[in-house]
Amino acid sequence: MKIYSKYLTILFPFLLFAQNDFELEDLNYNSGTYQQIIGPSYFPNNVSVIYFGHEYWGTCQSRFGFLNNIHLDLISEGITDVTFIGVGKDQYNQHLNGMIDGRVIGWVEDSQSDGYPVWSSWNAYQRAIYFLNSDGVVDTTFNFTPYNENQQNYDEIGLAIGPLIVEDQLIWKEIQELLSYLDWDVDN
């Protein structure tokens, strides 16, 4: 039975992430994943926050900066299992520096020549934000446009992320207990 747990551990995230995944190159030279192909499944045990915006709009740039600040605050608190990814459109690539300057979270661009498949498959619109649990399932989505960077909005974003982190920790503990009961090696 121990062999099967290894296969389940490998396959389970990919099966679940397939419904809300994409694979695009990270264009943010400040990001730890710069020039790597990323998407929600690239971070299999993380809660993901996916933001859709146009690189040339100041409001989109501001909201992406807000998310970057939340990311940095989470990291400073030792919370490393939340991933933020911004998704733009390659037709606005000439404005990329305005979006990523001074920011460390990943930024990818969907392809106009392919008909913007990521934006289409997600039914995304400008400044849409999606919160995915660690299984890649969308938990919450809303229009991020009215969310100026202030404490009330910061707290609201935290309330969207917090339960997903706690839920994932509880689910993982239950999975470990179940696998232990079945005499499966949960560490290998």
Side-chain angles (χ1 to χ4, degrees):
M1 282 243 243
K2 291 180 183 183
I3 290 175
Y4 296 120
S5 70
K6 289 181 183 179
Y7 293 119
L8 286 172
T9 302
I10 293 168
L11 292 175
F12 191 65
F14 293 109
L15 295 172
L16 288 171
F17 273 110
Q19 68 183 16
N20 292 311
D21 204 14
F22 55 82
E23 295 180 339
L24 296 170
E25 181 182 355
D26 184 356
L27 302 175
N28 186 353
Y29 50 80
N30 299 306
S31 168
T33 56
Y34 176 55
Q35 293 184 323
Q36 296 178 37
I37 303 299
I38 63 170
S41 67
Y42 185 85
F43 308 94
N45 293 316
N46 284 15
V47 168
S48 296
V49 179
I50 311 299
Y51 170 70
F52 289 85
H54 293 166
E55 292 86 333
Y56 68 92
W57 279 104
T59 303
C60 293
Q61 294 173 6
S62 173
R63 298 308 176 270
F64 189 63
F66 184 15
L67 293 175
N68 188 77
N69 291 340
I70 292 170
H71 165 76
L72 293 174
D73 287 348
L74 290 171
I75 296 296
S76 73
E77 295 287 327
I79 300 170
T80 59
D81 55 353
V82 179
T83 300
F84 294 82
I85 302 173
V87 183
K89 293 183 174 179
D90 65 354
Q91 80 182 71
Y92 306 119
N93 183 269
Q94 69 270 22
H95 303 284
L96 178 63
N97 284 335
M99 185 60 81
I100 64 174
D101 188 41
R103 292 159 184 154
V104 298
I105 56 180
W107 184 266
V108 300
E109 289 180 336
D110 204 5
S111 172
Q112 181 179 23
S113 64
D114 294 332
Y116 298 120
V118 175
W119 281 65
S120 296
S121 67
W122 284 65
N123 293 319
Y125 50 89
Q126 181 150 277
R127 293 185 286 278
I129 190 167
Y130 295 80
F131 297 84
L132 285 66
N133 66 21
S134 65
D135 292 328
V137 177
V138 174
D139 179 80
T140 304
T141 185
F142 54 84
N143 183 341
F144 199 46
T145 300
Y147 286 77
N148 295 316
E149 189 165 357
N150 62 46
Q151 191 62 47
Q152 178 182 349
N153 290 337
Y154 184 96
D155 293 345
E156 194 165 329
I157 300 300
L159 289 173
I161 295 170
L164 296 175
I165 296 169
V166 171
E167 173 187 327
D168 290 338
Q169 291 169 346
L170 294 173
I171 289 171
W172 178 239
K173 183 177 179 181
E174 290 174 9
I175 290 171
Q176 287 178 314
E177 289 173 3
L178 175 63
L179 293 176
S180 176
Y181 176 76
L182 295 173
D183 195 30
W184 286 6
D185 189 351
V186 295
D187 295 322
N188 294 314

